[in-house]
Amino acid sequence: MNATRQDFTDKNVLVTGATSGIGLASARAFLARGARRVYITGRNPEKLDQALQALGERATGCLSDVARISDLKVLKGVIEQRGDRLDVIFANAGIAEYGSFGAVAEADFDATFDINVKGVFFTVQTLLPLLNPGASIVLNASIVANKGMANLSVYSASKAAVRSFARSWANDLKARQIRVNAISPGVTLTPIMQHGLGMDQSQIDAFSAYLKDAAPAGRMAGPEEIAAAVLFLASESASYVNGIELTVDGGLTQI
């Protein structure tokens, strides 16, 4: 693989939900590969400030909830005010929560779909006018869309919708030569385990032990490993890759 084709010099990138985990690791990776400007979003002002301090002066933050179209319009305005256009969107913001079928509250269903589906859809649609011809869009889906995991039916369905967007938009945007792909991470060690799924350390350790036999890789992924795959899809190295789902799960769903 030609590393120079993963050079983002003079490129402007947006990563939503980038205050921790895969989003933060991806923002850091884009900057390391020369991105001119990386815009990041988050819902928590303190975490957003911490992320910006970690990323440095070429990062610009916007306090934004992707479930709110008004916030997305503010985000668009922030980018326009700097006179920038976008070369990459990584629609990463999302939540994951357990929900026992038969006991899922309407509010919980709505919260998941508002962020994971509506949020992805309107993030990209709102920012379409700012995308350069030949830009790249990467959507964060999940391996759960292809599995029937217990107590995750709402989350899984939301990620199946995200994967569907990649197919449809690749066709919708072909005239502008904008590529759209989905990345489907496997089990990744991020704060969403504790703060979204409500796992304690013993449960995380038990899951890690399970993966030793269940996945050929024998372990969880680190956020940086998922970020590396995001950069591939966003880069010229993937110039003939469009509409796909790239599964990055250490082989968990393959055996």
Side-chain angles (χ1 to χ4, degrees), residues 176-216:
R176 294 175 61 183
Q177 296 184 312
I178 294 174
R179 295 182 300 107
V180 188
N181 293 291
I183 186 150
S184 284
V187 183
T188 308
L189 188 58
T190 71
I192 204 168
M193 284 188 163
Q194 294 103 330
H195 305 309
L197 297 172
M199 299 173 71
D200 59 29
Q201 190 58 50
S202 65
Q203 291 172 312
I204 294 172
D205 291 343
F207 204 172
S208 183
Y210 159 75
L211 289 172
K212 288 183 180 180
D213 292 326

Side-chain angles (χ1 to χ4, degrees), residues 10-13 36-37 39 60 74-87 129-132:
D10 295 328
K11 303 289 187 182
N12 295 318
V13 177
R36 173 182 173 272
R37 176 68 45 188
Y39 291 91
T60 297
V74 170
L75 171 62
K76 181 173 180 279
V78 168
I79 299 170
E80 288 177 321
Q81 286 168 13
R82 293 187 63 95
D84 284 340
R85 296 181 62 81
L86 293 173
D87 301 288
L130 299 186
L131 280 172
N132 284 320

Side-chain angles (χ1 to χ4, degrees), residues 63-148:
L63 194 65
S64 178
D65 183 342
V66 297
R68 297 179 178 177
I69 296 177
S70 58
D71 283 9
L72 294 173
K73 290 180 179 179
V74 170
L75 171 62
K76 181 173 180 279
V78 168
I79 299 170
E80 288 177 321
Q81 286 168 13
R82 293 187 63 95
D84 284 340
R85 296 181 62 81
L86 293 173
D87 301 288
V88 177
I89 293 176
F90 178 30
N92 166 73
I95 60 173
E97 295 179 343
Y98 284 120
S100 177
F101 185 50
V104 174
E106 182 180 6
D108 294 332
F109 182 100
D110 288 347
T112 295
F113 268 73
D114 278 353
I115 293 175
N116 292 3
V117 182
K118 176 185 170 184
V120 168
F121 185 93
F122 283 102
T123 292
V124 177
Q125 180 170 277
T126 300
L127 296 172
L128 269 181
L130 299 186
L131 280 172
N132 284 320
S136 176
I137 299 169
V138 182
L139 311 178
N140 197 350
S142 171
I143 62 168
V144 300
N146 299 305
K147 294 182 69 67

